Amino acid sequence: MTELNETVSMPTTYDPKSAEQKWYDYWMKGGYFKAGVKENAPVYTIVIPPPNVTGLLHIGHALDFTLQDVLIRMKRMQGYDALWLPGSDHAGIATQTRVEQKLREEGLSRYDLGREKFLERVWDWKEQYAQNIRDQWAKMGLSLDYSRERFTLDEGLSHAVRKVFVTLYDKGLIYRGKKIINWDPAARTALSDIEVDYKEVQGHLYHLQYPLQDGEGSITVATTRPETMLGDTAVAVHPEDERYRHLIGKKLVLPIVGREIPIIADEYVEKDFGSGAVKITPAHDPNDFEVGLRHDLPQIIVMDETGTMNNEAGPYVGLDRSECRSRIVKDLQDLGVCIKIEDHVHQVGHSERSGAVVEPYLSTQWFVDMKPLAERAINEQKSGEGVRFVPDRFEKIYLQWIENVRDWCISRQLWWGHRIPAWYCNKTGELIVAMSEEEARAKSGSDDLRQDEDVLDTWFSSALWPFSTLGWPEETSDLQRYYPTSVLVTGYDIIYFWVARMIFTAFEFTDEVPFKDVLMHGLVRDKDGKKMSKSLGNGVDPLDVIEQYGADAMRFMITTNSTPGQDLRFRYEKVEQARNFANKIWNASRFVLMNLEGVKASDVNIAAATSTADRWIVHRLNETARDVTRMMDAYDFGETGRLLYNFIWDDLCDWYIEFAKLSLYGEDQQAKQATQSVLVYVLDRTLRLIHPFMPFISEEIWQHLPHDGETITLAAWPEFDTALESPEAVQEMTLLMDLIRAVRNIRAEVNVPMSKKIELLIKPSSEAFKAILTRNEEYIRRFCGTSKLEIAVQEIPEKAMTAIVTGAELFLPLAGLIDIEQEIERLEKELQHLNGEVGRIEKKLSNEGFIAKAPAKVIEEERAKMSDYADKREKVVNRIAELRG
């Protein structure tokens, strides 16, 4: 138990920098984020979506991680054994690209270093950036259990990756084959379908004539990639197309190359689209590849892995593919076979990492047979045994993708990553898949083996993250206790990359869902709704925001302005509002602490609270705790923020603390002590409710309050208690607040400051309301500023300002309120001004020239002004009439 230390007072203003470093160090030293210390407690688990070790975290990371921290902090306070497991991703192609860029600055390439030395450089990079990430997590105040931190290339996870690969291979679900894949010529590696970013590009459609070998005419085809014609091995037409039926089986001569290619019939061709004839390039188009297999066509690759034309390109060998395109188009025009070039806007695939235009490319790669794996995931989802998506509309998106999934190309021509556990016997060419080289030797009976050079797609290891991080394939105590995890929090943009793959992998290897819920949040965009990017220069560094406003302000803004599944616009003015909110909490807390006079935690007794205001604020806190918990469990952080803001700013600060001053500064010691108890109780519980969003300031204030325990991070979460309900106090306070607002509105209307005392007459609508008003007469006198207060008035004055609230009519006699003649004189001047404004606008709107030339918006604005002036004029006229009686 900690008593109030009167020698340590709260500073006048809150300093985020000193508090944040101090309390994060305190939490880490105390081990308060470590799971596994509550043996019989219910379990709540989140595994962090591992950030790439490629650089600094951005504002999108800040949103993702803070949402998780809000959940884990609340669950920890609710008594759960709450595990938030941290980690990072090796991010194969992204990290290798960054390190290779660094090498180029030194005039080197990875080939100059060799594989082993290059990987040493990448591991050095990883250590530096993994530490950077930890430092940023600390700045954000994330309550991670670092004793369980994992990395996708650490020994345990690497073992899990090999186990999954070998198992799927043995089941026939991983195979090596030659297919058209997405090829990144800049990174010189294969890409999966979802690593290709399609962009709208202004290109051209080239119409080419291929002459018949017998000289009896030609066929016209169209292409956006004329350089690939060098690999054409057929032209296809629809078998029922009357225009070409007589030509099926005949030969065409490929311009420039001179190669004879057949005219084939295939139902893949849409006979009503274009000329109805399609050039077939099996080695450079996925659809043409399938047509080529059906017709046993040659597969001619015309460029190498760098996008440079090879020997099959004839006169264009050695040219870059884009240079080849320009040259070949000119040559085709000179030959008279490029008969038309049209402007054509189309979608072109770009590498998500390097930005290079992706080349459909025939290559031998490793693939996962997705259909059998997807089938289980689909069935579980449709039967209601799958993952719960929040918002639920993402379930449909997930199912659409997984129901139409294609085989997954998992090999990458990189050095950084999980090397494929496959070996080839140099003598026999035999392929051996095994957990280790020793096992491969035992299987093959040979020591003359070489390992496959490729590594696995980064997402292959990421797909195992929820269970591999907990020790799978070993039956560890952590796996048994914390799996399946409770919720995955992630952006909707990686539902295909990662979420779907985790689900089907988990069903295959653990026979369970990897997480019960998946909360999809949106992207963080700039204030204008644009996507943040380096090229636009509109990115936001969360550390810069923390430096300027403090971590709590950033956390509160970014979480409570988010809605599941919706993009968030980042506005600095919103962060400033959150900082003002933190300052409001700080100032209110300072007031409370300055008025406790040595109160101890053991002195707090809210049962002694009897005043209307005391009972009301306890009731409102109780309600807020119930509603906040409900909204948090529903992942509605925006509504949670609104509830907390309204309770703290309006109920606690603007109303209760003001009412509390009457007891605190009064002569009744019993009432004073009761209010002090309520202030400590309410502020303590309020800090607990705000703690998941604002951990630093809540800990700083809580440590100054009389309290039990070492840290607010482990303080019990406020629970709804029916015993604390007080509907009578709510009714009384509602009447008092309505009455005070009404009187203040009248004061503002007639320009009477609070410093001037007024006469207030009240006519209650019932004896019950009369009793309430009489019981709370002191509050009315204090906050309405009365010189005379009469409740249950019998005689209504003729000239008075009036207001009606639920339960009473209010009368403020004008005689004591204002100088009537002086007020009439002032209002007549105002009327003269308003008449002038109305007349001026009427004249403008009756001017035909103005109406004809002015924009519609300007005309509408003038009409709105006139309506406003006319409304004000009517009120002034009525007011003058009232005053004259």
Side-chain angles (χ1 to χ4, degrees), residues 679-693:
L679 281 167
V680 172
Y681 175 84
V682 171
L683 182 55
D684 174 278
R685 269 58 178 183
T686 301
L687 291 170
R688 298 185 197 202
L689 292 174
I690 202 73
H691 174 73
F693 296 91

Side-chain angles (χ1 to χ4, degrees), residues 268-286:
Y268 157 69
V269 180
E270 296 179 47
K271 61 182 179 178
D272 297 325
F273 183 78
S275 67
V278 177
K279 64 188 281 299
I280 301 298
T281 321
H284 291 279
D285 184 275

